[in-house]
Amino acid sequence: MMTTRQDGDSWDLASGVGVTATMAAMTRAIASREGDALIEDPFAAPLVEAVGIELLTRLATGEQPPGDLVGRAAIDGAKARTRFYDEFFLDATAVGIRQVVILAAGLDSRAYRLPWPAGTVVYEVDRPRVVEFKTRTLAGLGAEPTAQRTAVAADLRDDWPAALSAAGFDPAVPTAWSAEGLLGYLPPEAQDRMLDTVTELSAPGSRVATESRPGNEEVKEGLDRVSARWRAHGFDFDHAAQRYLGQRNEAAAYLAARGWVLTGVSVRELFAAHGFSLDGDDLGMSEVRYVSGTKAAEVLSRSTRSSPPPGVPARPRRVV
Ligand SMILES: C[S@@+](CC[C@H](N)C(=O)[O-])C[C@H]1O[C@@H](n2cnc3c(N)ncnc32)[C@H](O)[C@@H]1O
């Protein structure tokens, strides 16, 4: 595995991995300004502005056009991705799920903008300085959560289930979990541990959504090209250095082997469905699959943590 990351490293929204959350929000701000129905995130621009990285603020507020820094594929990608997760949560609540966990929430504002049914509890898990910043900034803007929002300050490489449980999470009721834009920032073994834990904490009928792509060295070249472009505009941020590159288990197959029944759609398919073009896709996004699904009725025991449950073939089921 290749990374400059270290166990226990930390960040805020203007440093290290935190910058990726600010950049994701900046892209949502640009996408939201285009005024189509796929995305409307009114909190993205003010949140980015509050982080205070000048170039990102100018892009988020529209003072500077995206130009070659935030290409068409990135903007459309933010629309398609945001819509995918929005629909995932709306579908989950439509079938009666009232407990939601957004893993690595970053500057995601779903807890403030989606029409959650009464009684929905949304736990947002991220590093302490990230969740504290968002809570404080949105309160300062007068934003009110549209669900019962609970911020959980924890590291997803550590004992986050203890923090989630202390915050009031109930493993006995079905949960809708998302891990959006997260997996590549976790060491491969921490990704497996996290997906194991999600499985253990999921009552039957729980749902999960995330992205799935096989480990791929080519990603580094794309990330380096993106970093070089930002550097030319005076923003020195090494995208590849934030990731754990190299091989890892593919999330969809891993979850399927642990009792989740998933469906998936590739970015290529999503783009085609929305009429978007993948030209200028530096990061090879077309390979990524957005997957979501439901935990099968049987509850898996702890002893199945590192091996598939009885009856599940050694080769993971193909996700359809
Ligand atoms: C690319 S951002 C995505 C944020 C958000 N999900 C979105 O789509 O806008 C990655 C997020 O993962 C969080 N993250 C990465 N590693 C983490 C860890 N070990 N523990 C907690 N959060 C982590 C970062 O703080 C950041 O908010």
Side-chain angles (χ1 to χ4, degrees):
M1 189 212 324
M2 183 174 48
T3 184
T4 56
R5 296 282 312 280
Q6 287 169 2
D7 289 352
D9 52 2
S10 77
W11 53 86
D12 60 16
L13 285 151
S15 61
V17 184
V19 172
T20 68
T22 307
M23 294 186 110
M26 176 269 298
T27 312
R28 283 194 293 272
I30 294 171
S32 295
R33 265 205 317 281
E34 296 193 343
D36 65 39
L38 288 177
I39 180 170
E40 192 188 343
D41 184 350
F43 302 109
L47 280 166
V48 174
E49 204 170 356
V51 172
I53 300 173
E54 209 187 312
L55 176 57
L56 300 190
T57 295
R58 286 203 306 273
L59 289 160
T61 57
E63 190 187 322
Q64 174 166 335
D68 67 337
L69 276 177
V70 192
R72 192 67 253 156
I75 298 169
D76 289 341
K79 291 181 186 176
R81 169 168 137 174
T82 301
R83 182 62 171 214
F84 172 84
Y85 285 97
D86 283 358
E87 282 177 356
F88 165 75
F89 284 122
L90 295 175
D91 289 348
T93 56
V95 298
I97 292 178
R98 293 291 178 269
Q99 181 165 261
V100 167
V101 181
I102 301 178
L103 297 164
L107 293 177
D108 170 353
S109 67
R110 288 192 177 88
Y112 294 80
R113 67 174 178 77
L114 285 188
W116 303 102
T120 306
V121 184
V122 178
Y123 296 95
E124 293 194 284
V125 186
D126 209 303
R127 292 277 317 172
R129 285 183 284 168
V130 173
V131 293
E132 282 153 18
F133 175 89
K134 186 164 71 178
T135 304
R136 189 176 66 246
T137 304
L138 287 176
L141 289 166
E144 301 267 1
T146 49
Q148 185 187 319
R149 170 183 181 262
T150 302
V152 181
D155 195 305
L156 290 160
R157 296 166 293 186
D158 291 341
D159 191 9
W160 60 273
L164 186 62
S165 161
F169 173 86
D170 182 358
V173 302
T175 302
W177 304 85
S178 71
E180 176 187 9
L182 165 65
L183 300 183
Y185 302 104
L186 292 178
E189 62 281 4
Q191 171 180 311
D192 292 350
R193 259 196 330 270
M194 189 191 75
L195 298 177
D196 288 340
T197 305
V198 164
T199 302
E200 284 174 16
L201 294 181
S202 289
S206 292
R207 295 190 175 199
V208 69
T210 191
E211 295 110 40
S212 190
R213 97 186 272 168
N216 187 347
E217 298 294 337
E218 286 165 36
V219 174
K220 181 169 184 336
E221 291 161 24
L223 289 167
D224 287 347
R225 269 197 304 277
V226 172
S227 300
R229 226 163 30 227
W230 286 90
R231 206 171 301 117
H233 285 260
F235 184 54
D236 195 2
F237 180 70
D238 186 345
H239 285 76
Q242 312 309 323
R243 309 257 186 138
Y244 292 85
L245 300 171
Q247 294 300 311
R248 64 177 57 228
N249 283 318
E250 193 179 345
Y254 193 88
L255 286 165
R258 281 152 187 78
W260 293 87
V261 179
L262 302 170
T263 58
V265 59
S266 70
V267 168
R268 183 180 304 287
E269 290 161 339
L270 263 185
F271 267 50
H274 291 306
F276 296 153
S277 159
L278 270 163
D279 288 354
D281 168 23
D282 276 321
L283 301 179
M285 286 192 307
S286 60
E287 306 297 320
V288 174
R289 280 154 65 81
Y290 290 104
V291 295
S292 62
T294 302
K295 171 102 172 280
E298 77 276 16
V299 182
L300 305 178
S301 74
R302 267 185 181 272
S303 63
T304 62
R305 270 190 77 108
S306 53
S307 57
V312 173
R315 272 179 71 80
R317 273 179 263 165
R318 181 166 166 71
V319 180
V320 290

